[in-house]
Amino acid sequence: MHLSFGLLIEATWLLWALYWAWGARGVKAAAREDDWTRLLAYRIPVMLGFALLIALGQGVGHPWLYRHVPSAAAWAPPLGWLLVLPGLGFACWARRTLGRNWSGAVQLKQDHELIMAGPYRWVRHPIYTGILLAMLGTILAAGSWLGLLALVLVGGGFWYKLRHEERWMREQFGTAYVDYMRRVKALVPGVL
């Protein structure tokens, strides 16, 4: 990965992580929480995927994982960074829109509200959409096969988690959530 774009991408992810940690303050108390086995079922693949993404920048692991994807070229690092920016920006916008209803785990909050404004107009899980787009940009910039494995792990963890979240949302909001699911796709507007 071109050094300056590699540093830009790392700095962008770091700023996002700081914002994410700062934003966790002041959320509503949980009325219903996930049990630890379900929590691990989606957290482990996501954590492994992010560990691989970090390893991608550090050169850790088997050399074959760092072979470049044949299409990786000089244009890939700047384009990758141009995907990381809107991806993480979209995730931050979604987090801000959720406000005090946000949680890193599957939870129903006290006085939980169904949010369908902001980025939730286009996708039901815009935080996942944004993070996956940013991961795709990071992987494109690095041009390594290892990144594809990271994307599969995180994407699979998010897919499992969103299906679980949606069961709880249907229980909580009934037909309002079912109608929302009919109108708005889960991750990619008009597609998925």
Side-chain angles (χ1 to χ4, degrees):
M1 180 176 355
H2 188 271
L3 181 60
S4 61
F5 283 103
L7 291 174
L8 279 172
I9 289 170
E10 287 177 12
T12 304
W13 276 103
L14 179 60
L15 289 172
W16 173 81
L18 291 171
Y19 170 77
W20 219 248
W22 180 261
R25 304 169 296 102
V27 296
K28 293 177 184 176
R32 180 179 175 191
E33 294 185 83
D34 224 350
D35 66 58
W36 69 273
T37 56
R38 282 245 194 221
L39 183 76
L40 290 177
Y42 54 81
R43 286 247 171 114
I44 287 175
V46 170
M47 289 174 8
L48 285 173
F50 273 102
L52 287 175
L53 196 65
I54 291 167
L56 187 63
Q58 306 302 316
V60 176
H62 299 286
W64 68 269
L65 290 172
Y66 295 95
R67 288 193 187 132
H68 287 293
V69 177
S71 65
W75 53 265
L79 179 60
W81 186 58
L82 291 175
L83 293 175
V84 170
L85 283 175
L88 294 180
F90 196 64
C92 289
W93 180 28
R95 169 93 177 256
R96 186 163 175 81
T97 302
L98 276 180
R100 297 185 64 221
N101 290 295
W102 178 83
S103 172
V106 177
Q107 292 182 346
L108 289 174
K109 299 292 188 173
Q110 293 176 4
D111 302 318
H112 202 103
E113 302 165 79
L114 177 57
I115 307 294
M116 295 183 283
Y120 292 88
R121 290 180 296 218
W122 298 305
V123 289
R124 296 190 309 268
H125 301 276
I127 291 173
Y128 304 156
T129 298
I131 291 171
L132 291 170
L133 180 62
M135 285 189 75
L136 188 62
T138 303
I139 293 161
L140 178 65
S144 168
W145 293 108
L146 179 62
L148 297 176
L149 179 57
L151 187 65
V152 166
L153 285 167
V154 172
F158 282 171
W159 188 255
Y160 178 85
K161 185 180 177 191
L162 79 81
R163 304 312 287 175
H164 181 46
E165 285 174 330
E166 291 191 332
R167 278 191 297 274
W168 284 22
M169 296 298 277
R170 284 191 308 269
E171 289 173 17
Q172 179 75 14
F173 297 107
T175 57
Y177 197 79
V178 172
D179 291 343
Y180 177 56
M181 289 176 71
R182 282 191 199 112
R183 289 189 324 272
V184 178
K185 297 293 183 185
L187 293 171
V188 181
V191 179
L192 171 69

